[in-house]
Amino acid sequence: MAYLSLVTATATRADVEAALRGVVDPELGSDVVELGMIQGIEISDGVATINIALTIAACPMRDQIESDVRRKVTALPGISSTVVNVAAMTSKQRSDLMATVRQRAREGAVATMVNPTTRVIAVGSGKGGVGKSSLSVNLAVALQVAGFRVGLLDADIWGFSVPRMLGTTGRLEANSDRKIVPIEAQGIQLVSTGLLVETEETALMWRGLMLSKALEQFLQDVAWDPGLDYLILDMPPGTGDVQMALARLLPQAEMIVVTTPQKAAQKVAARVADMARRSYMPVVGVIENMSGFTTAEGTHYDLFGTGGGEELANDLGVPLLARVPLDPLVVEGGDGGAPVVSAHPRAASALAIIGAAKRLVELVPPADEETCTARIAVLMEQLERHQAPGARHQDPHPVSG
């Protein structure tokens, strides 16, 4: 039975509004619902229509906000497409927005140290042993090689393996502000419990609450670079405490689901996708790992069957980002701290992962640094100068020098 056929309920207006709370203004750090940007929500015959008001008509963030709204809402059960109608705020709406921002600033700092402009991608799977960590590491490296600033959080608290895969044995330390400083490994900012324990063999015997608290600390007490384009999270398998904590702490997070071609693995992976959707976390796409093995003589073997990744992607209504073949170079690189995408970039497995990274950037592009809020602040400052008592008339279109 297809995954979507298991979902009997159609998203309600409240579900849509909850999903939209994951669309965050990168500069203000607040969601579009809290900021009063959502002017209307309608659902009819599987089509959601969202009316949104931006601070100014020529908002440079318009395309990004529209894209984020569509992804968040269309990820909900029963929503086949999303129509976004955009208008400019009235002066009163802009005034109300600025009042909300000031109130939020008085109430305290943002929940985490992750900059709202950073794209957060959680790599999840329904079960262990499908190569999720290898893919997380190689995706991060592929993004870094492509010129993006990348962080990697090893959120698999019990089953940490990322430090070995990146060839680092450093230790996490605190800075003068008592914030944890990520380790720099192959150009990537890395945080992992593997950088805290005595040895790789040391067992972490933590209960569920401690796991979610560990993730909370890694997001709130780590001095993540505010200039990160992407933060990749290697999630633990399954649908437990860490996954639920992520949805609460980082509502802007989106997920890549990893499966193998095997039918059993595909069905288990569907549960992770179900968890993500229930938490209003859009699934960006699916990666099918261990997609057959080709010998040096060119003979191909489908050791784990065929079609699981494509079927899951079709059921979820998301793209299949890549089929990554079984490759001894991936294992060798993981054990030796030399990820295949950098050590053997022409290998079939590396090309597949690099292709997945390129597709990810197309689907979830880096945030535009110039926000609507920045522009409206400048315009308001110019208007205040123009209207100030005794102020001379200023050219509304000054020539920049």
Side-chain angles (χ1 to χ4, degrees):
M1 183 183 295
Y3 161 73
L4 290 180
S5 66
L6 299 176
V7 181
T8 56
T10 300
T12 64
R13 188 186 188 285
D15 293 328
V16 173
E17 184 173 305
L20 290 171
R21 290 190 181 277
V23 179
V24 178
D25 181 286
E27 188 173 34
L28 297 177
S30 297
D31 63 78
V32 293
V33 176
E34 182 182 5
L35 292 173
M37 293 181 175
I38 302 302
Q39 302 299 299
I41 299 173
E42 295 181 7
I43 304 172
S44 178
D45 297 327
V47 178
T49 301
I50 312 298
N51 297 326
I52 186 168
L54 302 181
T55 49
I56 57 175
C59 175
M61 298 293 291
R62 175 173 175 162
D63 290 344
Q64 178 186 322
I65 291 173
E66 285 190 48
S67 175
D68 289 353
V69 167
R70 286 195 181 93
R71 279 204 314 277
K72 291 283 185 181
V73 176
T74 308
L76 295 172
I79 303 297
S80 57
S81 64
T82 301
V83 176
V84 183
N85 298 321
V86 179
M89 283 186 172
T90 64
S91 58
K92 183 181 184 305
Q93 288 171 333
R94 284 195 292 268
S95 177
D96 291 343
L97 180 145
M98 300 311 289
T100 299
V101 171
R102 286 193 293 269
Q103 178 182 351
R104 192 174 188 275
R106 287 194 298 268
E107 290 173 350
V110 294
T112 74
M113 294 289 290
V114 179
N115 193 316
T117 63
T118 299
R119 295 297 203 176
V120 180
I121 306 297
V123 181
S125 65
K127 58 187 291 186
V130 299
K132 169 185 55 61
S133 296
S134 293
L135 286 173
S136 297
V137 168
N138 279 283
L139 277 173
V141 173
L143 290 169
Q144 192 276 330
V145 170
F148 298 105
R149 290 169 289 186
V150 182
L152 178 56
L153 173 53
D154 188 354
D156 195 347
I157 308 297
W158 283 328
F160 55 85
S161 57
V162 171
R164 168 172 285 277
M165 292 182 179
L166 285 175
T168 183
T169 57
R171 306 285 290 179
L172 293 176
E173 297 180 354
N175 60 18
S176 58
D177 295 326
R178 301 179 66 83
K179 296 296 183 183
I180 300 170
V181 179
I183 293 291
E184 190 84 10
Q186 302 194 30
I188 295 170
Q189 288 194 11
L190 171 65
V191 170
S192 169
T193 50
L195 303 174
L196 295 171
V197 297
E198 293 294 330
T199 68
E200 284 184 279
E201 294 79 17
T202 302
L204 287 175
M205 297 186 292
W206 292 354
R207 296 184 183 274
L209 180 60
M210 292 185 67
L211 296 178
S212 59
K213 285 294 183 183
L215 177 65
E216 187 173 323
Q217 184 172 13
F218 283 161
L219 295 175
Q220 292 181 331
D221 295 328
V222 170
W224 293 107
D225 180 359
L228 287 181
D229 296 305
Y230 291 94
L231 176 62
I232 306 297
L233 275 67
D234 178 25
M235 301 296 291
T239 56
D241 295 272
V242 173
Q243 286 82 354
M244 290 186 287
L246 172 65
R248 173 175 55 85
L249 293 166
L250 289 176
Q252 74 267 40
E254 308 186 44
M255 178 169 282
I256 290 175
V257 178
V258 178
T259 186
T260 65
Q262 188 178 6
K263 181 74 70 175
Q266 173 218 329
K267 294 302 180 184
V268 175
R271 299 171 200 161
V272 176
D274 185 31
M275 178 278 302
R277 289 175 186 256
R278 289 174 187 236
S279 303
Y280 308 107
M281 187 187 307
V283 176
V284 179
V286 172
I287 295 181
E288 182 184 272
N289 200 24
M290 306 181 189
S291 249
F293 174 72
T294 303
T295 67
E297 293 75 27
T299 305
H300 184 80
Y301 297 94
D302 292 314
L303 301 179
F304 295 101
T306 60
E310 183 173 11
E311 185 173 342
L312 178 61
N314 289 338
D315 287 348
L316 299 177
V318 299
L320 179 64
L321 302 178
R323 292 186 180 91
V324 183
L326 279 166
D327 189 346
L329 292 175
V330 175
V331 179
E332 177 185 315
D335 288 343
V340 68
V341 296
S342 56
H344 303 280
R346 303 308 301 171
S349 56
L351 291 174
I353 297 170
I354 292 169
K358 290 180 179 178
R359 187 76 177 106
L360 173 63
V361 172
E362 293 173 357
L363 293 167
V364 190
D368 191 327
E369 292 183 359
E370 184 182 17
T371 66
C372 316
T373 311
R375 280 199 176 186
I376 192 63
V378 172
L379 291 175
M380 289 179 70
E381 182 181 352
Q382 292 176 347
L383 183 62
E384 288 172 359
R385 287 202 307 266
H386 176 67
Q387 294 179 340
R392 295 181 179 179
H393 176 75
Q394 298 180 17
D395 185 354
H397 303 289
V399 178
S400 57

